[in-house]
Amino acid sequence: MKKKVLIFIGIVLGSIFLYYTFGIFSSSVGWYGYQKWKYRGGTTTIKESKQRNIFVKELKYKIVDSANLKGFYFKPYIEKGFKYGYHSMEDTRVDSLSNYPYNLSYERNEKKSIVLNIFPEDKKKLDSSNVTWGYLKQPYLKDTIRIRIEGSGNQKGIIKIW
């Protein structure tokens, strides 16, 4: 009887040990391995931006020279740049030390089949940018920005944002 109790206790303690060991390993490879809190984040919807309290304003836009864009949804907005918290993606730390504290972001659908790229000459109108994101010193656009729409289903067009 005493031997069965010791085996049961050993199994319980071993299970607890494995549970915590796996959790530590998973965190070090996952969240802490990627170190997401070090990099600037951006939202993909206005609703998420408002929930994080970083939303600044919606922008006006017009889609021109378009073809095959039935059902395409797009809405540009400006938000404050932020980083994730140290222990959770739910935490928001506003990036106040950046030279470019605002993001030019947009809410859209069909992310897998339609690519949006800022025109190379329009990237110069932004304070900083990469292919798809724009970063601003002030919470407004100085000039109209054009984004090229290219889709795998022969979708195409240009979006003008101001």
Side-chain angles (χ1 to χ4, degrees), residues 29-141:
V29 172
W31 176 255
Y32 295 105
Y34 289 115
Q35 298 181 346
K36 288 189 174 193
W37 63 87
K38 287 185 175 181
Y39 307 105
R40 186 177 185 130
T43 62
T44 56
T45 65
I46 292 173
K47 182 179 178 182
E48 180 187 357
S49 185
K50 287 180 178 180
Q51 286 172 343
R52 290 185 180 275
N53 291 322
I54 56 172
F55 179 78
V56 177
K57 69 178 182 175
E58 279 187 44
L59 297 171
K60 295 180 181 177
Y61 71 98
K62 184 175 184 176
I63 298 176
V64 295
D65 300 330
S66 63
N68 302 320
L69 289 179
K70 186 174 183 177
F72 178 67
Y73 170 78
F74 178 87
K75 189 176 281 194
Y77 58 98
I78 293 178
E79 66 184 6
K80 296 176 188 172
F82 73 96
K83 294 181 179 183
Y84 297 115
Y86 292 112
H87 303 292
S88 171
M89 286 181 66
E90 303 304 316
D91 296 336
T92 302
R93 296 181 299 133
V94 174
D95 193 4
S96 58
L97 300 176
S98 173
N99 292 332
Y100 312 109
Y102 297 95
N103 294 343
L104 169 62
S105 301
Y106 35 84
E107 182 176 314
R108 69 190 195 100
N109 63 351
E110 301 185 28
K111 294 176 186 167
K112 293 182 181 178
S113 62
I114 295 180
V115 176
L116 301 178
N117 293 323
I118 300 171
F119 276 75
E121 55 272 16
D122 287 358
K123 289 181 192 177
K124 296 172 187 163
K125 297 176 185 177
L126 297 164
D127 296 317
S128 178
S129 67
N130 59 25
V131 176
T132 57
W133 296 100
Y135 306 106
L136 306 164
K137 288 183 180 181
Q138 303 296 324
Y140 56 84
L141 291 177

Side-chain angles (χ1 to χ4, degrees), residues 4-48:
K4 289 183 180 181
V5 170
L6 288 175
I7 291 173
F8 177 74
I9 291 173
I11 291 172
V12 169
L13 291 176
S15 298
I16 292 171
F17 175 75
L18 287 174
Y19 175 79
Y20 283 106
T21 302
F22 179 73
I24 291 168
F25 174 73
S26 177
S27 291
S28 65
V29 172
W31 176 255
Y32 295 105
Y34 289 115
Q35 298 181 346
K36 288 189 174 193
W37 63 87
K38 287 185 175 181
Y39 307 105
R40 186 177 185 130
T43 62
T44 56
T45 65
I46 292 173
K47 182 179 178 182
E48 180 187 357

